[in-house]
Amino acid sequence: ESQCPRATMASLSLARLAGRASNRFLAQQQCPLTGHAQLRRMAVPLAAVPLTQQKRFLSIHEHHSMDLLRKFGVDIPRGRAARTPQEAEAVAAELGTPDMVIKAQVLAGGRGKGTFQSGLKGGVRTVFSPSEVRMFAEQMLGQRLVTHQTGADGRPCNEVFICERQYARREYYFAILMDRASAGPVLVGSSQGGVDIESVAAENPDAIVQQPVDIFEGLQLGDAEKFAEKMGFTKGCVKQAAENLVKLYDMFIQLDCTLLEINPMAEDANGHVICMDAKLNFDPNAEERQPEVFKLRDFSQEDPREVAASKFNLNYIGLDGSIGCLVNGAGLAMSTMDIIKLHGGEPANFLDVGGGATAEQVTEAFKIISSDPKVSAVLVNIFGGIMRCDVIAQGIIAAAATLDLRIPLVVRLQGTKMKEAQQLIQESGLRIIAIDDLDEAAEKVVQMSDIVKLAQKAAVNVKFQLPI
């Protein structure tokens, strides 16, 4: 994934900055740590991806991550999640401590600095009694939390995590991620934990240490102790820290993780090493091997259009533009988005129907695209190899009739069964703009989109109707 010798941390940073960028397609980027060229795999150009979007691999809530850590014997604070204010108060009473923390369970970074749409500031609050826990739970549950990663709409908070407060003497950062350059897992650590690791990488890259792990041999205790020393653990805590590192590594491998992040891993006042927070991501292809983990997926935290697309095996990523795209093949989809931008337009989505799509899948793809209120025109670009153009045409016709589409639809169909597809469209009685040349098709869809947006801006009741 990278030719840069210090790009592992850069890969982690870029993956976060890229939001939902997939790990499928190669694009050259610059390592923010060294400036060296590196190859990153992503589905769309970084400039086209809004920073508010999620990554496409499975991510689970903090309290689920902490439960998994507990099952693997890792030392963590006591705590439990709650879905109602009454349950939150009961959990606080069970903990039996006056020092607690209540955390909004939202899949986004920056929760502590976030703001609920109700006006409450901070999704992570220190609390001192069960009644105070209930008070904050009432203000968090059922509300949407807005952070620098969620966008203005925020994400819903359906659960809160109440845990005992730990007083850290020192805080460290620790992560394990898969690294293509070292052909296996790599440990990433820093003595500067409890803060934004991207800032550490940018301001003081020497504070970050790395160590590849032979995936066949695994992480040995001796190697873990050496890494704990590099991270800066005090002499009396090195062994305990190393034992936790080995457990975390075993968990990373056994659960098919793509990222395991502990921030902070801390030494408390009594010299105990505790994992205070946890973030886990999982290989999306591991669902068959990890059914219990994938049951923890929270669909309420995801774009409903992506959830709908996944049910029909469609690869969809919502973007911020106004031109909907339906394409077969990821490379062609990227090229289509690029040529739309070349003509002054902005793609509203990345949607790859794949090589074996059915008419039903195409219809569902149109439903997803047309559900976006920003979409003012749609470009269909199909190169029929494995995918037959007549199947796409059948789906387009069914979608136009079922959904009563009233936005411009530009279609380019080339390849297998192209003539049959063109005949189906001609006989459908629908006003579909069919263009053979991709450049012309992109220019036309941008023009049509501009016309619709101009009419909408002027509050002119003009509709592009597909039925003649």
Side-chain angles (χ1 to χ4, degrees), residues 76-318:
I76 61 172
R78 293 181 301 127
R80 189 158 60 86
R83 299 186 69 88
T84 67
Q86 296 82 359
E87 187 181 1
E89 185 177 24
V91 170
E94 290 173 9
L95 290 176
T97 174
D99 284 342
M100 294 170 284
V101 180
I102 181 170
K103 303 180 181 183
Q105 295 301 279
V106 173
L107 290 178
R111 290 176 298 166
K113 297 180 180 179
T115 302
F116 287 91
Q117 291 182 332
S118 62
L120 176 67
K121 295 186 181 298
V124 179
R125 304 296 293 252
T126 302
V127 287
F128 304 98
S129 68
S131 61
E132 193 176 4
V133 167
R134 176 170 179 157
M135 179 190 72
F136 279 113
E138 289 173 345
Q139 297 178 67
M140 292 180 178
L141 291 169
Q143 299 293 328
R144 300 184 75 87
L145 179 65
V146 179
T147 78
H148 68 281
Q149 289 188 0
T150 64
D153 291 337
R155 290 194 184 138
C157 176
N158 301 316
E159 295 176 292
V160 291
F161 180 48
I162 305 98
C163 64
E164 61 182 348
R165 184 183 181 188
Q166 297 287 343
Y167 290 88
R169 182 174 62 183
R170 296 188 179 185
E171 294 185 335
Y172 306 86
Y173 174 89
F174 177 73
I176 310 173
L177 61 154
M178 299 302 293
D179 178 54
R180 190 172 294 270
S182 56
V186 63
L187 311 182
V188 181
S190 176
S191 60
Q192 298 183 25
V195 296
D196 181 19
I197 194 63
E198 285 88 353
S199 298
V200 177
E203 297 169 7
N204 186 16
D206 291 334
I208 296 173
V209 293
Q210 302 171 37
Q211 178 176 310
V213 179
D214 187 322
I215 198 168
F216 296 105
E217 295 184 5
L219 180 62
Q220 304 302 313
L221 184 59
D223 293 330
E225 289 179 353
K226 292 178 182 178
F227 191 75
E229 291 175 354
K230 289 181 181 179
M231 286 178 61
F233 278 95
T234 57
K235 187 174 182 181
C237 292
V238 166
K239 185 175 181 180
Q240 188 182 162
E243 291 172 350
N244 275 325
L245 298 190
V246 171
K247 293 173 184 177
L248 290 169
Y249 178 84
D250 291 341
M251 175 181 170
F252 179 86
I253 296 298
Q254 291 182 36
L255 297 184
D256 290 293
C257 294
T258 55
L259 170 69
L260 181 154
E261 185 179 51
I262 308 296
N263 191 20
M265 179 181 286
E267 295 180 17
D268 68 12
N270 298 317
H272 297 140
V273 177
I274 301 175
C275 294
M276 309 277 274
D277 197 353
K279 176 181 179 180
L280 301 176
N281 293 326
F282 302 88
D283 183 351
N285 298 309
E287 184 171 2
E288 186 176 341
R289 295 190 301 273
Q290 308 292 346
E292 295 304 314
V293 170
F294 277 75
K295 287 179 182 178
L296 304 177
R297 182 179 179 183
D298 184 355
F299 291 100
S300 72
Q301 302 291 309
E302 302 180 32
D303 186 331
R305 296 169 298 178
E306 289 198 14
V307 174
S310 66
K311 293 179 181 178
F312 290 91
N313 295 318
L314 301 170
N315 298 312
Y316 176 90
I317 301 175

Side-chain angles (χ1 to χ4, degrees), residues 67-83:
D67 286 341
L68 292 174
L69 262 63
R70 183 184 295 110
K71 291 178 181 178
F72 277 80
V74 178
D75 294 327
I76 61 172
R78 293 181 301 127
R80 189 158 60 86
R83 299 186 69 88

